Amino acid sequence: MRLRALLENDALGLRLLGGEDELDRTVRGVMTTDLKDPSRYLSGGELVLTGLAWLREPSDAEPFVRILAGAGVAALAVGEAELGDIPDDLVTACSRHRLPLFAVNESVAFATITEHVVRQVSGERAGDLAAVVDRHRRLMTSGPAGGGPEVVLDLLGSDLDLRAWVLSPTGRQIAGAGEALDPALAATLAGEHLAATRTGRRGPHRLSASGSTYSLFPIRNTGRGATPASRDVRETVLSDWLLAVEADAGDWPAARLDLLQGVTQLIAVERDRRDAARTVRRRLAQEVLELVQTGAAPAEIAARLRVAAPVLLPGLGTAPHWQVVVARVEWDQEAGQNQIDSGPVAQALLEEILVDPAASGAESADRIAVAHSGDEAIALVPLAATPLPDSEDELPATAVGLHADALLTAVRAPLSAGLSDDGRLTLGVSAAVHSAEGLRGALEEARHARRVAAARPGRVCAAGHHELASHVLLLPFVPDDVRRAFTARLLDPLRDYDRRHRAELIPTLEAFLDCDGSWTRCATRLHLHVNTLRYRVGRIEQLTSRDLSRLEDKLDFFLALRMS
């Protein structure tokens, strides 16, 4: 806005004292100060308001005005409430430095002027930014955008003072301007967004976290593969991106909300382009999967892998190891509901989970190939062979690769919010193999590991190949009613006793078994005297009619605790 517009507004009570030739200056902000040197808080273009508390003697006027003029402020406005007439020394100094000077009527509060300037400047910036966003959208729709979402996020920061980030459903930062969002905070924001979406609340969703308020805007998939609005929200909730803005959008005018919706549509174009780029990788994975499942000759599978390796690991000089990861998303279905096609949901989610949590940007997922077969998503993960130190040999397959527990550590909380109380994600990871002959076994291994994960409680569970050589492989195949009866017979008497007497028999039993029946180690771990431990173990044996010195009874207790 121009200084002239301020002077023409009678409600602001401004009277021009000097600088009539400078009234076409642009006002970019407003600042109130009573400091003798406010230069550190000035960036140029401000209307500076002051009550002259800094003016102790006539000689103070010249250095104050010189500082303002040097900082490039638009004008100075002085209140008449304290001193009445504006001192001549200040008028002379402003004239010398060509700084427009206004007197503010004593009946007008500085807050009134500040509110007016902020409202006008913000509205003009929003209009300018909306035009830029619209132009950028047309560029992205017709071809490469030359910067992607970061360009628009930079504009939000520079023109509207809004810090914003694009996040995946797991909270991974895909784009941002300036400082990266803290990963824990990003996961919290993603979880809130998923939970709000599942309950049907309309965006933007608002959340207070880490001392700030954030507004969360959904970024809908608008491409050819977009899900119709009438379909079940569960088909998209685990794959849609979100725009997190550090601001409270609750009191925003409609124009600003429309602007942010335009930004989300712009970012959705980039999302569509990213999804289209995944088509080749998905097709490669699908072809390899079909060959493996139909029992094709290893030579044929190896030839297909040689085609896939340069796409997934460009520049790789040697054949990589491969791992297989299997995931399934399952939803509780009620009578009359449409059947949810879970395969594509699991596919998009597995593509996201397999990205390194520390990586940022949409391109960090460009080396992951995921297919889906029925309700399963199956990932073919290439692992570059790593030489041993001072050796030309490669690391053995078991020394490289993904670990099931680590995959879900960073994403468990937000995904649990998205799955709510009617969805589950289970995931299994195979060992690494270094040839086509091993892929069939790796696929079956990953599927068995996923079944082990499915037998565990919780909304998001994973199991790895190392667990298949353990007793836990047997547990998923025990019927639920048998499991419940077995654990109740052994553990319910102890739980009842703990509830009545606060005796902590269950924790004592767990620690005793974990210490392999060692009285000394168990007592040290529980910070108990050995005699107290012997009393508790005796009480466990009395209540259950079992003997913890017998291997069979120890094993029964161990399995009961695992299945409970």
Side-chain angles (χ1 to χ4, degrees), residues 1-23:
M1 67 179 302
R2 306 289 183 181
L3 287 175
R4 192 180 304 279
L6 291 175
L7 188 61
E8 293 171 351
N9 189 329
D10 295 336
L12 300 181
L14 296 176
R15 180 166 50 89
L16 184 64
L17 299 181
E20 185 175 0
D21 296 338
E22 306 292 334
L23 291 180

Side-chain angles (χ1 to χ4, degrees), residues 377-412:
I378 302 169
L380 187 66
V381 182
L383 304 166
T386 306
L388 286 168
D390 302 322
S391 170
E392 296 181 357
D393 297 330
E394 293 179 351
L395 285 172
T398 53
V400 294
L402 306 171
H403 296 277
D405 293 337
L407 280 177
L408 297 181
T409 299
V411 303
R412 182 172 275 110

Side-chain angles (χ1 to χ4, degrees), residues 51-348:
L52 297 182
W54 51 268
L55 187 64
R56 303 299 175 82
E57 52 189 43
S59 60
D60 290 339
E62 169 64 27
F64 180 79
V65 173
R66 185 171 62 249
I67 289 170
L68 298 189
V73 303
L76 174 64
V78 180
E80 295 179 318
E82 292 293 330
L83 301 179
D85 293 337
I86 307 303
D88 291 338
D89 296 282
L90 183 59
V91 175
T92 301
C94 287
S95 177
R96 183 181 302 117
H97 290 281
R98 301 182 62 83
L99 180 67
L101 176 63
F102 297 98
V104 182
N105 190 282
E106 61 181 355
S107 63
V108 178
F110 282 176
T112 301
I113 300 173
T114 300
E115 181 181 353
H116 176 81
V117 172
V118 169
R119 186 167 57 249
Q120 293 298 316
V121 170
S122 297
E124 290 175 3
R125 286 181 176 175
D128 293 342
L129 183 58
V132 173
V133 168
D134 184 64
R135 183 170 64 255
H136 204 65
R137 184 191 302 116
R138 290 196 298 272
L139 286 172
M140 294 186 75
T141 304
S142 60
E150 286 83 0
V151 173
V152 180
L153 299 185
D154 280 332
L155 289 171
L156 287 177
S158 62
D159 283 26
L160 294 184
D161 297 325
L162 293 177
R163 299 175 67 208
W165 302 264
V166 179
L167 305 178
S168 77
T170 65
R172 181 175 61 88
Q173 181 172 318
I174 294 167
E179 185 179 353
L181 200 59
D182 176 71
L185 174 58
T188 298
L189 297 179
E192 171 64 21
H193 171 74
L194 291 173
T197 302
R198 285 302 314 274
T199 58
R201 286 157 46 195
R202 297 186 60 183
H205 315 302
R206 289 175 289 158
L207 171 69
S208 294
S210 300
S212 298
T213 300
Y214 296 86
S215 298
L216 312 175
F217 294 81
I219 299 173
R220 307 296 187 193
N221 186 352
T222 59
R224 288 176 294 179
T227 302
S230 59
R231 298 292 295 278
D232 197 312
V233 68
R234 293 177 292 183
E235 296 189 33
T236 60
V237 66
L238 297 178
S239 59
D240 282 344
W241 291 353
L242 68 137
L243 177 67
V245 182
E246 189 178 7
D248 187 346
D251 55 357
W252 281 4
R256 180 167 286 200
L257 287 173
D258 288 345
L259 171 62
L260 266 293
Q261 293 297 342
V263 170
T264 64
Q265 292 169 13
L266 177 61
I267 297 170
V269 174
E270 178 67 19
R271 169 68 187 273
D272 297 341
R273 182 172 287 110
R274 192 284 307 262
D275 285 344
R278 284 187 173 180
T279 302
V280 173
R281 298 190 300 280
R282 287 176 171 176
R283 186 169 62 247
L284 285 171
Q286 196 74 42
E287 291 173 353
V288 174
L289 174 63
E290 290 173 359
L291 291 174
V292 171
Q293 293 192 124
T294 57
E300 187 177 358
I301 299 175
R304 191 68 65 183
L305 287 176
R306 284 194 294 272
V307 173
V311 176
L312 300 177
L313 288 176
L316 188 67
T318 59
H321 296 292
W322 300 90
Q323 262 183 301
V324 176
V325 182
V326 173
R328 175 174 286 187
V329 175
E330 298 172 294
W331 304 100
D332 296 338
Q333 292 293 121
E334 297 181 2
Q337 283 187 326
N338 293 328
Q339 187 69 29
I340 298 175
D341 188 2
S342 295
V345 177
Q347 181 182 40

